[in-house]
Amino acid sequence: MTTAAAATANTQPSGKPQPSRDHHMISLYYCYPPARISPDQLKPHADFHRETCEHLNLGGRIRVSEEGINGVLSGAEKNLIEYEGRLRKELSRLVSDGDRNLEGHNKNEVPTAEWLDMKYCHLRKDIPIEKQLFDTLSVKITREVVSLIEPLAEKGKKKGRARCRQRRKQRRKEKQQLEKLKEGNTIADGGKESTGGEKGVEQTKIKELCENNDVLTKELEGICLGKGQEGPVACANGTALPIEDWEKRTTAVHLSPQEWNEKLLQLSQEKHDQAANGTNNSFGNATQDHSIGEDAILLDTRNIYETRVGHMAVPNLETFFPNTRKFSSLPNALNTEEAAKALAGKQVFMYCTGGVRCERASSYLRAISESNTGAWRDKERPSGIYQLRGGIQKYLESYGNDQQELANMKEINNKDECSPGKDPVEDNATTSNCEADKPCLYRGKNFVFDPRRTDPVIGNGVIATGNGERVSVVGRCVVCSNSHDDYDNGHAPCEDLSARCCRCRVLVLVCNDCRRRVRCWGEPESGEGNGDDQGDEISKMELFCGHAGRECIDEGNIADKVETARF
């Protein structure tokens, strides 16, 4: 009891000893076991996590559902390893109880290596240790391991917690407009058929309602997906399609980090050779030669604030960025003309932070591309769907560099190679002969959902095949476009001094110089508010997360936000 009382004085969960950077880590994991967890086992299994974590002094968040589990924890390394061992035994017991094909196995010996993905992450060296560890433990029983499509009932609950009265009033107004559209039978469904002109006008009204309001998405789908003479009527561009049992579709083929690198580097080299030989038919020649490099594209399933500090960049290949604010907006982004055009008929290589989001995104992509509805009407399905096993976190374990070590390496290179007047953008590039044997395809930081904000292992990505130059910083200040990739501007994330959009509250990259001149969410209209000692009372520009900090990415049609980039 005395030890627990002493530990409570610290910022760590009750009973934790004073943390040490060498002995404390972050662990993240997920699993979709071969047999679902029975409903009557959900609470006992959640209790197992809670009791085990409390006994081992671990903090963090864990989601438990019938389909599997998803968690991120912090604590002493030996305790995290002990937790993993106990978890594997518990999952073996649950699976053997739920799968009749495993009834003859020892309940503690059912193999879990293939479907329980456990990753261990180091703490950052630039902020205090105690500010990087969870100080609470949350274990929740949820509907899904990770939510891709939010049910209307859950959105209804969130509606009562809307960000401001004005937005609630706007939603009520839009709902009233929607009811009028329903009463007028704007899209024929057994009633009087509208004329072509009338139908076009009403479709435009529906699209306008769909924009800026994903709460009404399900209701809009009920109108948009009415049956016509030739099948389903397409929803407005950028609206999610309700596809029955989409989550039961086959997930992507998993590639290890090594397989991912080998395959993408091969595709990149073939694309490079094709261009060098003058066989690139990207200008639409009638006799187009579809090479394997031309038919490959990467898909980043993460949100825009994650991709802004780091992303995959494979030379000669394109990457599709949905640029969403939240994961549940990804289905909307995939049902856009831009997405269908970019992904149709190609090999799609998708990735996320740890792999769990790709499990769901790959099933939905397969379902929507085979549905022949929405933006995918008359489009060819992807020729193959792959995902990076273990996500960016696992990939950087093999191909990344420690942030501090990379900074030291750059300092040495700059002393030897940099000259006055060098382009600041080129300062992000560095050459290292010792890395020639491990070409990294990721550039920048890996955004994580724990108190660290970003992982200390970063990607020093290659610029071109056969070229030694690297890029490790991709972030830009949203106001001045100078190189900047720290959301917290030198502070620990838990200090809550990050810049956030005045409308949607999403994180925004703003350099120190511009930070003094803008007003972020939660700050007063003039004077202080961001930790500066500036006593001026001048009016500050409202900061948003979109272009030049003057518009919000969560405003307007999502089809206008998606983009395809080539590196």
Side-chain angles (χ1 to χ4, degrees), residues 270-343:
E270 290 179 358
K271 182 65 177 163
H272 175 269
D273 294 343
Q274 179 193 35
N277 295 332
T279 57
N280 189 338
N281 293 300
S282 59
F283 295 101
N285 294 345
T287 57
Q288 185 173 3
D289 177 20
H290 290 283
S291 73
I292 190 170
E294 182 71 31
D295 292 338
I297 187 170
L298 282 80
L299 169 59
D300 194 323
T301 65
R302 301 172 302 156
N303 300 310
I304 190 169
Y305 54 87
E306 300 173 76
T307 61
R308 278 178 170 170
V309 294
H311 53 74
M312 288 283 175
V314 182
N316 310 311
L317 297 184
E318 293 182 333
T319 300
F320 181 77
F321 294 102
N323 290 336
T324 54
R325 175 184 172 271
K326 55 185 179 180
F327 184 54
S328 57
S329 295
L330 183 62
N332 302 52
L334 292 178
N335 182 38
T336 60
E337 296 292 342
E338 293 79 0
K341 181 179 179 181
L343 305 177

Side-chain angles (χ1 to χ4, degrees), residues 106-249:
N106 185 317
K107 292 188 177 183
N108 292 328
E109 294 180 357
V110 176
T112 60
E114 288 298 316
W115 41 271
L116 175 57
D117 184 23
M118 207 91 176
K119 293 170 282 290
Y120 292 88
C121 319
H122 294 282
L123 301 182
R124 289 168 54 177
K125 298 177 181 178
D126 57 334
I127 55 179
I129 305 166
E130 63 274 9
K131 293 185 177 182
Q132 302 182 62
L133 304 177
F134 288 102
D135 55 8
T136 59
L137 175 66
S138 171
V139 181
K140 293 183 178 180
I141 297 176
T142 61
R143 187 175 58 90
E144 299 172 287
V145 170
V146 59
S147 298
L148 178 59
I149 297 180
E150 295 177 299
L152 186 61
E154 290 184 7
K155 289 192 174 185
K157 294 178 183 178
K158 293 181 180 179
K159 187 174 180 181
R161 301 192 298 268
R163 299 185 187 108
C164 66
R165 185 177 303 169
Q166 183 178 358
R167 295 191 69 187
R168 289 198 298 269
K169 183 177 179 180
Q170 179 66 18
R171 285 174 178 170
R172 286 195 297 268
K173 180 180 178 181
E174 290 168 346
K175 194 164 185 176
Q176 290 171 359
Q177 293 174 337
L178 178 63
E179 291 299 329
K180 291 181 180 179
L181 288 176
K182 288 180 179 179
E183 293 172 3
N185 292 322
T186 56
I187 295 181
D189 185 11
K192 183 179 179 181
E193 190 72 43
S194 302
T195 64
E198 293 173 343
K199 197 167 186 176
V201 172
E202 300 301 344
Q203 287 278 18
T204 301
K205 291 180 180 178
I206 290 176
K207 182 176 179 180
E208 291 174 353
L209 283 178
C210 179
E211 295 173 355
N212 300 323
N213 195 338
D214 56 1
V215 172
L216 299 178
T217 296
K218 290 288 183 181
E219 295 178 66
L220 287 168
E221 287 164 357
I223 297 178
C224 293
L225 293 178
K227 296 291 182 178
Q229 294 181 353
E230 300 180 358
V233 177
C235 257
N237 193 25
T239 302
L241 288 173
I243 302 174
E244 186 176 358
D245 295 332
W246 65 267
E247 68 275 8
K248 297 180 181 179
R249 302 296 179 97

Side-chain angles (χ1 to χ4, degrees), residues 291-412:
S291 73
I292 190 170
E294 182 71 31
D295 292 338
I297 187 170
L298 282 80
L299 169 59
D300 194 323
T301 65
R302 301 172 302 156
N303 300 310
I304 190 169
Y305 54 87
E306 300 173 76
T307 61
R308 278 178 170 170
V309 294
H311 53 74
M312 288 283 175
V314 182
N316 310 311
L317 297 184
E318 293 182 333
T319 300
F320 181 77
F321 294 102
N323 290 336
T324 54
R325 175 184 172 271
K326 55 185 179 180
F327 184 54
S328 57
S329 295
L330 183 62
N332 302 52
L334 292 178
N335 182 38
T336 60
E337 296 292 342
E338 293 79 0
K341 181 179 179 181
L343 305 177
K346 297 181 181 179
Q347 296 182 85
V348 179
F349 295 82
M350 61 172 58
Y351 64 93
C352 61
T353 305
V356 64
R357 282 181 280 186
C358 286
E359 299 283 359
R360 280 293 171 255
S362 61
S363 294
Y364 188 83
L365 175 59
R366 195 179 301 278
I368 191 175
S369 64
E370 295 173 355
S371 67
N372 193 33
T373 56
W376 286 86
R377 188 171 181 81
D378 299 326
K379 295 289 194 308
E380 185 180 358
R381 71 187 65 174
S383 59
I385 303 177
Y386 306 89
Q387 81 170 69
L388 177 58
R389 179 185 292 129
I392 300 165
Q393 188 67 46
K394 203 71 172 180
Y395 180 85
L396 292 179
E397 288 180 12
S398 300
Y399 297 98
N401 292 94
D402 179 84
Q403 188 172 1
Q404 189 61 50
E405 293 176 358
L406 186 60
N408 295 339
M409 183 176 65
K410 280 190 174 186
E411 185 177 352
I412 295 173

Side-chain angles (χ1 to χ4, degrees), residues 400-475:
N401 292 94
D402 179 84
Q403 188 172 1
Q404 189 61 50
E405 293 176 358
L406 186 60
N408 295 339
M409 183 176 65
K410 280 190 174 186
E411 185 177 352
I412 295 173
N413 288 342
N414 288 337
K415 287 181 180 179
D416 295 339
E417 301 173 9
C418 288
S419 58
K422 184 176 180 181
D423 188 341
V425 176
E426 294 182 1
D427 289 342
N428 295 333
T430 184
T431 302
S432 176
N433 294 329
C434 65
E435 293 183 339
D437 59 336
K438 62 167 197 175
C440 181
L441 300 178
Y442 189 84
R443 299 178 183 178
K445 296 179 178 179
N446 181 24
F447 189 101
V448 292
F449 295 91
D450 60 60
R452 299 172 301 160
R453 185 90 76 194
T454 57
D455 192 89
V457 180
I458 65 177
N460 196 21
V462 296
I463 292 181
T465 53
N467 191 324
E469 288 187 303
R470 304 288 186 117
V471 172
S472 60
V473 179
V474 300

